[in-house]
Amino acid sequence: MEKFEIIRTGAVPMPIENIDTDQIIPARFLKATSREGFGENLFRDWRYDSKGEPKQDFVLNNSRYRGQVLLAGKNFGCGSSREHAAWAIYDAGFRVVVSSYFADIFRGNALNNGLLPLQVTDEVLQRLFALVAADPQTEFVVNLPEQELCLPASGERIPFEIDPYKKECLIKGYDDIDFLVSQKEAITAYESTRAWTY
Amino acid sequence: MKKTLFDKIWEAHVVRSIAGGLDVFYIDRHLIHEVTSPQAFDELEARNLPLYNPAQIVATADHNVPTRNQHLPIQDQLSRFQVDKLTSNCEKYGVELFGLGHPNQGIVHVIGPELGITQPGMTIVCGDSHTSTHGAFGAIAFGIGTSQVAQVMATQCLLLSRPRKMRISVEGELRKGVTAKDLILYVIAKLGTGGATGYFVEYAGSAIRSLSMEGRMTVCNMSIEMGARGGMIAPDETTYTYLKGRPHAPQGERWEQALAYWSTLYTEEGAEFDAELHFDAADIAPMITYGTNPGMGIAINSTIPASVPASEAASFDKSLQYMGFVPGESLLGKEVNYVFIGSCTNSRIEDLRQVAEYVKGKQKAGHVEAIIVPGSKQVELQARQEGLDRLLADAGFELREPGCSACLAMNEDKIPAGAYCVSTSNRNFEGRQGPGSRTLLASPLVAAITAVEGKIVDITQYLN
């Protein structure tokens, strides 16, 4: 996993609620057996028409919006557990998704891939949408060590929560598997003392 | 402190707690399939890690398999490659595989229970969000991502924070024509598609207790559709009767010991939940969805909401535009061209029986294509043994071979763009059943009646 650095970037706004992982990456693109290349089909059916032509009204096809922050409506990533959704977003160049809440499985998948699910309040989210609508060049600084989303134009600093262990993993580029493998002794000890085994 | 069913099972699986509220959490059974496992096997390889214990994993091919001519090589090259990859990975690591052609093959959430692999008190994971299905047996079961699939393969554990607890109680008797599917669509419509995010749900109350195991599985299956991490129901006589004698269930003396343990798995009087909801079974009508998330459901004879709060208006309008509906209208009379009966939600023998019973001696409407995809080879076999295949064929329904099929349209079973499909599956997301497809989620009974009438009807008028 890549280390998560402080990011200074623009945002791509998608003010739609309940964006499910079938929209992020449709099932027909899940036939690959590697983790690479899913970015090409990110939001495939919103982004391209049935002939494969870019839909002009979709934000990813609008060159005014650029950046590593995806700004999305509440309950982002609901539905299928496909980690391909996190891979596709990351592969397309995003490092942060900002929403007012995330579906649980997507949140975990994002964190396991160096993609930061940054949760803000509904009120803040609406304000961020308004800022980006007014000025597509609006700059964001995502400072993970300080747990702040900063808006350089106004100097505003919006704090966010993250599990301390997950924060450290992101910053150092570690994932859970490294930690779990180090717990092997405790796991075998647990197995030998269980009251009921299957 | 009084404990809930969830507390008891969770606490029995904590290997150790680490700072920050995370638990090293032990997994008893790991189910895998062809779509979300290849990258996990690759990860083991890349890190040079052995598989912790192959005996705790069961594999099947379901998401990406054809539902016709399963004895022939898979036509789609990418699908074939993915299924072959599962086979070679299972051979290499010594994992039991119920692959295409195997008498136990089927949808992962159908075969686990029917083989007795799923048992009360277990922790069960799978790289599939509908793993919550297994909670019907009083297990903690939930979907995970592929990175976590690799973690369980490598260590039999996950690193988790304990979710909050919600209890949803449904009391009373369900009305005629109202099934487990209607019950859960009703609950999801009340909570909304994200209403239980962060929670693990226990379903309780007399209406839940009176459901069959198939019905309980349907309810727990859709827990994820309101955002819940999982759903569960305390085991009881219904559970034990279902499990007894199944191939992987405990036998003989071990069965008695298991019963003694399982009977301790219930929520104690006075145990606390972070959220409690109560519903009256009598309020539930046959349901159908009109929008593009499973929370957008209504009683079949009522109308689409005329308006929603301003903050939700853009998403609501987008959804209705996709579906070709307008706010405030009724769905009754809408012509339907496709009916899909299948998926891990409703493809079990009880579902097929219900459909066959209704369509017996009737004929589907000429303009409707009605397909039934059984959840497993066992379900298919049983349907044939009971003669359901004949009843269904006589009514113009096509009984296919098992798989996930048109629930997510990874194989060739797709609904054409713009067409309406009444589906017994679990998701009505845009394009879920094929690009541009329009899905209306409903029970097998509603699906059967729709196929015969060729349009959405008030099914309560069609029941004897």
Side-chain angles (χ1 to χ4, degrees), chain A residues 70-152:
Chain A
L70 179 62
L71 200 57
K74 73 176 180 192
N75 195 26
F76 185 83
C78 60
S80 158
S81 62
R82 60 190 70 164
E83 194 163 314
H84 312 66
W87 299 337
I89 294 170
Y90 195 90
D91 193 48
F94 294 103
R95 293 293 173 268
V96 184
V97 184
V98 176
S99 183
S100 56
Y101 73 88
F102 295 90
D104 289 326
I105 305 178
F106 176 82
R107 180 200 299 272
N109 288 341
L111 288 167
N112 279 330
N113 287 279
L115 178 69
L116 175 66
L118 195 160
Q119 188 166 328
V120 295
T121 62
D122 271 322
E123 181 270 323
V124 167
L125 184 65
Q126 295 314 320
R127 208 148 48 76
L128 296 179
F129 278 131
L131 279 174
V132 176
D135 177 12
Q137 312 301 319
T138 302
E139 217 179 20
F140 290 76
V141 175
V142 180
N143 186 332
L144 178 58
E146 296 298 324
Q147 295 183 217
E148 283 177 344
L149 173 64
C150 310
L151 302 168

Side-chain angles (χ1 to χ4, degrees), chain B residues 160-317:
Chain B
L160 300 175
S161 59
R162 199 162 162 164
R164 286 173 292 172
K165 294 170 291 181
M166 177 187 285
R167 179 160 61 186
I168 296 176
S169 302
V170 188
E171 299 289 351
E173 220 172 298
L174 292 172
R175 282 152 45 185
K176 194 170 180 180
V178 177
T179 67
K181 182 63 164 287
D182 303 296
L183 185 157
I184 191 63
L185 283 174
Y186 175 86
V187 169
I188 299 167
K190 289 287 180 192
L191 270 83
T193 188
T197 302
Y199 290 94
F200 211 101
V201 174
E202 178 179 345
Y203 300 97
S206 57
I208 298 290
R209 297 247 74 85
S210 64
L211 294 175
S212 65
M213 283 317 295
E214 282 87 350
R216 293 179 189 188
M217 284 188 254
T218 299
V219 169
C220 289
N221 172 276
M222 292 194 72
S223 304
I224 182 74
E225 309 311 339
M226 50 189 176
R229 204 67 185 82
M232 66 199 308
I233 296 169
D236 59 11
E237 283 307 319
T238 305
T239 322
Y240 310 143
T241 305
Y242 177 97
L243 273 177
K244 192 162 189 194
R246 295 195 180 255
H248 288 252
Q251 314 285 334
E253 197 185 331
R254 182 89 180 138
W255 172 258
E256 298 304 324
Q257 291 166 352
L259 281 187
Y261 173 54
W262 295 345
S263 65
T264 67
L265 301 175
Y266 59 88
T267 292
E268 292 164 12
E269 189 78 37
E272 280 183 23
F273 288 84
D274 301 287
E276 286 246 36
L277 294 167
H278 297 271
F279 297 105
D280 186 346
D283 291 341
I284 307 174
M287 297 286 291
I288 195 158
T289 65
Y290 61 87
T292 55
N293 74 56
M296 302 175 85
I298 50 173
I300 200 164
N301 56 7
S302 82
T303 53
I304 296 172
S307 64
V308 294
S311 65
E312 295 165 22
S315 302
F316 180 75
D317 291 347

Side-chain angles (χ1 to χ4, degrees), chain A residues 17-18 22-23 30-31 34-35 46 79-81 83 104 109 165 175 177-178 183 190-191 194 197-198, chain B residues 12-13 16 26 28 39 43 47 52 79 82 120-121 145-147 193 198 254 311 315 410 427 430 432:
Chain A
E17 296 177 349
N18 308 313
D22 273 88
Q23 308 317 313
L30 307 186
K31 298 184 184 192
S34 76
R35 288 176 183 241
W46 286 356
S80 158
S81 62
E83 194 163 314
D104 289 326
N109 288 341
Y165 165 82
D175 48 29
I177 200 162
D178 299 319
Q183 299 297 300
Y190 163 83
E191 284 179 321
R194 296 185 68 186
T197 55
Y198 290 93
Chain B
H13 289 84
R16 59 176 292 232
Y26 191 82
D28 293 311
Q39 293 89 347
E43 191 158 344
R47 291 170 186 256
Y52 188 85
S79 299
Q82 201 172 44
T146 295
S147 293
T193 188
R254 182 89 180 138
S311 65
S315 302
M410 265 194 88
R427 290 190 173 131
E430 285 185 32
R432 173 79 178 182

Side-chain angles (χ1 to χ4, degrees), chain B residues 126-181:
Chain B
C126 174
D128 186 283
S129 59
H130 294 110
T131 309
S132 57
T133 310
H134 306 265
F137 291 78
I140 291 183
F142 52 92
I144 56 176
T146 295
S147 293
Q148 292 176 306
V149 171
Q151 291 160 23
V152 179
M153 284 177 171
T155 68
Q156 211 56 45
C157 288
L158 290 169
L159 197 55
L160 300 175
S161 59
R162 199 162 162 164
R164 286 173 292 172
K165 294 170 291 181
M166 177 187 285
R167 179 160 61 186
I168 296 176
S169 302
V170 188
E171 299 289 351
E173 220 172 298
L174 292 172
R175 282 152 45 185
K176 194 170 180 180
V178 177
T179 67
K181 182 63 164 287

